[in-house]
Amino acid sequence: GDSVTQMEGPVTLSEEAFLTINCTYTATGYPSLFWYVQYPGEGLQLLLKATKADDKGSNKGFEATYRKETTSFHLEKGSVQVSDSAVYFCALINTGTASKLTFGTGTRLQVTL
Amino acid sequence: KAGVTQTPRYLIKTRGQQVTLSCSPISGHRSVSWYQQTPGQGLQFLFEYFSETQRNKGNFPGRFSGRQFSNSRSEMNVSTLELGDSALYLCASSLVGQGALGTGELFFGEGSRLTVL
């Protein structure tokens, strides 16, 4: 079945540091890929998405590129802020099969001053 | 517009009891999905309802059930609670659902945190 693997957390960075959170996936066909973010005490919200190979999703300074050859969708940000502290979830939807979002286990990011 | 509303936000039950959780989707959204979130298993898909019909179901035992009403509000029920059912239960709504017509963009509520003692 479909699956998503994320790097283990927590990730602790100083403000203005560069962020990379790795995400790889296993799926048949051509899934769409997503990053969701969960701030403390809140539900998840969509951060960005990419629906086909080589697409780049971007939002709020975060970027991720859909790499079919490496089955990856790594999340990056050039300069993190304290307000970016949250849990980040990589996810995919494969409308050809399960027709539901499959999430990774989440990566907690802690940004300090 | 108002977001996804889940009630209750917190509840404590004992083993063997049952619980009903409620979800009011964003106005106009016809699809409601439920997820269980635990530290060990992450986010696990429970089921999705669209226009009062269960359209997809995850790998959970029959103790977990749900329904959707004509106004798109949804409830999920867990019977004969076990300690392992302690989790954050998240509801998410979307305009057309997660399936072939869907975009994968879900709008989540803040969740109902269930503790089973």
Side-chain angles (χ1 to χ4, degrees), chain A residues 34 36 38 43 93 98 100-101, chain B residues 37 45 56 98 103-104 106 109:
Chain A
F34 306 83
Y36 276 80
Q38 186 176 31
I93 189 164
K100 63 174 177 65
L101 270 173
Chain B
Q37 186 179 19
F45 173 74
N56 208 345
Q98 299 192 48
T103 64
L106 303 184

Side-chain angles (χ1 to χ4, degrees), chain B residues 48-112:
Chain B
E48 180 196 7
Y49 287 86
F50 184 85
S51 293
E52 302 180 66
T53 300
Q54 186 180 88
R55 193 157 66 174
N56 208 345
K57 189 176 188 304
N59 296 321
F60 278 81
R63 299 186 297 108
F64 291 80
S65 62
R67 59 178 174 167
Q68 186 180 34
F69 303 95
S70 58
N71 61 359
S72 293
R73 191 176 70 85
S74 177
E75 289 181 346
M76 67 162 283
N77 184 78
V78 188
S79 63
T80 319
L81 285 167
E82 301 176 359
L83 295 179
D85 297 333
S86 295
L88 181 67
Y89 289 88
L90 290 167
C91 167
S93 76
S94 66
L95 202 55
V96 294
Q98 299 192 48
L101 295 178
T103 64
E105 180 169 1
L106 303 184
F107 296 82
F108 283 83
E110 294 179 326
S112 293

